[in-house]
Amino acid sequence: MKENTAVLHVEDDFLEIELSVLRLLRDVAVRDATERMLEPLTRDGITSFHAGTDDTFSATVTSVEVSWFNAPEAQDELLVDETRKMVFSIASLAFKEDNKWRLHDGNSTITATISDEDFQHRVDTNQANFAKGDVLVCDVRVKQWQSKTGAKTEYEVVRVIEHRTAARQIPLPGL
């Protein structure tokens, strides 16, 4: 194997390629562009794609080979998964199961799943009442992914530590 090369193993074939080519193969945007470029080969009557000059073709792809160039489905890559303490004012509540609450952190409004069962029970049994200006101090699980379209963030309130009303602080039982 030469320097700055890699061996690509596909089924029973081995192919030595330059590392720069391998980087291109791993780039989903390049793979998507290649698939779009070769898309005419999937139509009836178009049997080959040639790249090169008027005199010499340096690459040829046939309609039989076009599926080899299909881009893989982009996978979201989890970059952050952490739990942190955060403070929110309530922008809007959802009392149906699996509905997300809209919470404001003083800077922006996010949607969050409330998975704290004790707090959810207090809400369901009317032990927790809400008014304008209320603040929730929470442990929040934040998960962030890199996706094909950019960054994606998901918030989950795993524990409501404290519910502060505009008038007074309400400590939660057992804390």
Side-chain angles (χ1 to χ4, degrees), residues 1-7 16-23:
M1 190 166 84
K2 297 177 197 165
E3 189 175 327
N4 293 322
T5 63
V7 175
E16 189 171 339
I17 61 172
E18 295 179 24
L19 290 178
S20 58
V21 173
L22 180 61
R23 280 191 287 279

Side-chain angles (χ1 to χ4, degrees), residues 47-104:
T47 59
S48 61
F49 171 88
H50 302 279
T53 66
D54 289 339
D55 300 329
T56 310
F57 297 132
S58 57
T60 299
V61 179
T62 68
S63 56
V64 173
E65 301 166 331
V66 71
S67 64
W68 301 351
F69 297 90
N70 289 345
E73 285 295 316
Q75 300 289 319
D76 291 349
E77 180 182 358
L78 183 64
L79 301 174
V80 173
D81 185 354
E82 64 183 21
T83 301
R84 58 179 99 142
K85 189 177 204 176
M86 298 180 78
V87 177
F88 297 106
S89 58
I90 302 167
S92 70
L93 322 155
F95 294 110
K96 293 181 183 177
E97 239 178 88
D98 296 334
N99 282 353
K100 296 185 178 192
W101 289 27
R102 290 182 58 234
L103 304 171
H104 186 74

Side-chain angles (χ1 to χ4, degrees), residues 120-140:
Q120 197 63 50
H121 176 73
R122 288 177 50 78
V123 171
D124 291 344
T125 59
N126 294 320
Q127 295 175 39
N129 297 306
F130 304 99
K132 184 176 182 175
D134 283 7
V135 171
L136 300 175
V137 181
C138 310
D139 285 333
V140 181

